[in-house]
Amino acid sequence: MSSGPPSESMSALRRLLIPVLLCALQASLCNAACAEVDSDTEAVAGQGFKLGCISCKMRGEVEGTATVDWFFQPKGEADFVHIYTYEDKNAMILDERFEDRVDWNGSKNTEDLQDASIYILNVTFNDTGTYRCLFNRILTYPFYEFSTKASKLVHLTVVAKATRGMASIVSEVMMYVSIIGLQLWLLVEMIYCYRKIAAAGDEALRESAAEYLAIASESKDNCAGVQVAE
Ligand SMILES: *[C@@H]1O[C@H](CO)[C@@H](O)[C@H](O)[C@H]1NC(C)=O
Ligand SMILES: *[C@@H]1O[C@H](CO)[C@@H](O)[C@H](O)[C@H]1NC(C)=O
Ligand SMILES: *[C@@H]1O[C@H](CO)[C@@H](O)[C@H](O)[C@H]1NC(C)=O
C-alpha cells in the first residue's frame, strides 16, 4: 500500500510526458519527412502517371510560401512550353494538350509547398519528352524576405506496356536454369552412384565367394574336422 503514492505520481508524470514526447517525435518526423525522391520516368500509355517533383525547404524553421510552374518540351522539339501553374492552392492548366488531364498530386492544404508532383491522366505517346518543374519559394525572415528558385527535370518515356527491368528477367531465367541444372546433376549423380554401388556389390559378391572357396579349399587341405562339420 505504501507504493501507492509514488506509482500515482509516476502515472501522472507519464500522462504528462507521453504527449510531450509524441509531439516532439511527430515534429521531428514531419521535418525529416521531406526527401527529394526522383520521379519515375516511364509511363504506360492509357494509364495515369505521377510526375514527381520535390524540393525540400532547407530551413525547416523558416516560414515559406512557394508557387510551382511546370514546363514541357515534347520529344524532338526545341522549346519548353508552360503547361501548368499552382499558386495559392489553385491549379491552372495552360496547355490544351493537357486540358482536363492533370491533377495536383503535391503538398495539400498549404502554401508552403515542398512536393509539386502532378498526375497526368490517360497518358498518350505524345506526352513523351522532358518536363521541368520550377519552384519559386519565398522564405520570410523577421526583417526581410528571401526568394529562391529550384527546378528539376524529368525525362519521360511512354511505353505500350510496363517493361520489366532487365535484371529481374535475367534473375528469373537464372533461377530456372539453376533449378533444372541442379536436378539434372542430381539425377546423373544418382545413376552414377547406383551403378557404382551395383558394380561394387557384384564385385564384393564375387570376391567373397572366391574368398569363401579359397578358405574352404584351404580348410579342406588343413583341417578335416571342418569338412566334417560342413
Ligand atoms: C494523385 O492524383 C490522382 C488523380 O487525381 C489520384 O488518383 C491519386 O490518388 C493522387 N495521389 C496522391 C498521392 O495524391
Ligand atoms: C484516353 O484517351 C483515349 C485516346 O487518347 C480515349 O479514347 C479514351 O477514351 C481515354 N480514356 C479516358 C478514361 O479518358
Ligand atoms: C499526337 O500528336 C499528333 C501530331 O501532333 C496528333 O495528330 C495526334 O492527334 C496526337 N495524339 C493524341 C492522342 O493527342
Side-chain angles (χ1 to χ4, degrees):
M1 282 303 115
S2 63
S3 68
S7 84
E8 249 169 52
S9 69
M10 271 295 280
S11 72
L13 195 62
R14 269 202 211 122
R15 268 203 292 274
L16 201 72
L17 266 183
I18 285 174
V20 170
L21 282 178
L22 278 181
C23 281
L25 191 67
Q26 202 169 15
S28 72
L29 277 180
C30 282
N31 284 341
C34 187
E36 301 199 355
V37 183
D38 284 338
S39 176
D40 282 342
T41 56
E42 191 179 276
V44 179
Q47 297 184 3
F49 180 77
K50 180 178 171 177
L51 262 176
C53 177
I54 298 174
S55 161
C56 296
K57 192 171 65 174
M58 289 309 162
R59 305 292 302 270
E61 74 284 3
V62 178
E63 292 238 337
T65 60
T67 64
V68 166
D69 294 291
W70 276 93
F71 302 86
F72 173 49
Q73 178 191 33
K75 192 181 172 200
E77 287 183 25
D79 299 320
F80 277 92
V81 188
H82 194 182
I83 58 167
Y84 186 89
T85 183
Y86 190 88
E87 193 172 351
D88 299 335
K89 301 181 204 170
N90 287 315
M92 207 161 31
I93 297 169
L94 306 170
D95 191 293
E96 60 180 13
R97 285 170 292 186
F98 292 92
E99 210 158 280
D100 299 328
R101 286 207 303 137
V102 181
D103 278 339
W104 180 248
N105 253 183
S107 308
K108 292 186 173 66
N109 302 321
T110 175
E111 285 177 44
D112 190 2
L113 307 174
Q114 306 204 69
D115 184 348
S117 305
I118 55 176
Y119 191 85
I120 303 179
L121 297 152
N122 206 2
V123 170
T124 75
F125 287 101
N126 289 3
D127 297 337
T128 305
T130 304
Y131 292 80
R132 187 160 83 95
C133 76
L134 175 68
F135 276 86
N136 284 294
R137 177 171 288 137
I138 294 171
L139 296 172
T140 312
Y141 290 90
F143 301 109
Y144 66 100
E145 289 188 337
F146 184 69
S147 148
T148 67
K149 283 185 198 293
S151 86
K152 304 231 161 155
L153 291 180
V154 182
H155 301 282
L156 184 70
T157 51
V158 178
V159 297
K161 237 175 76 190
T163 58
R164 281 174 62 197
M166 199 58 201
S168 109
I169 295 171
V170 166
S171 64
E172 191 176 329
V173 168
M174 289 304 286
M175 189 184 76
Y176 285 125
V177 165
S178 65
I179 288 174
I180 292 167
L182 276 173
Q183 290 200 349
L184 282 179
W185 181 70
L186 208 65
L187 196 69
V188 167
E189 199 77 338
M190 269 169 65
I191 291 169
Y192 176 74
C193 281
Y194 178 77
R195 286 207 170 153
K196 208 169 169 186
I197 288 167
D202 284 353
E203 192 70 14
L205 271 181
R206 235 177 284 126
E207 252 170 39
S208 67
E211 230 165 71
Y212 176 76
L213 287 177
I215 290 168
S217 67
E218 224 173 75
S219 44
K220 197 157 65 178
D221 290 346
N222 293 345
C223 179
V226 177
Q227 217 183 353
V228 172
E230 271 182 337

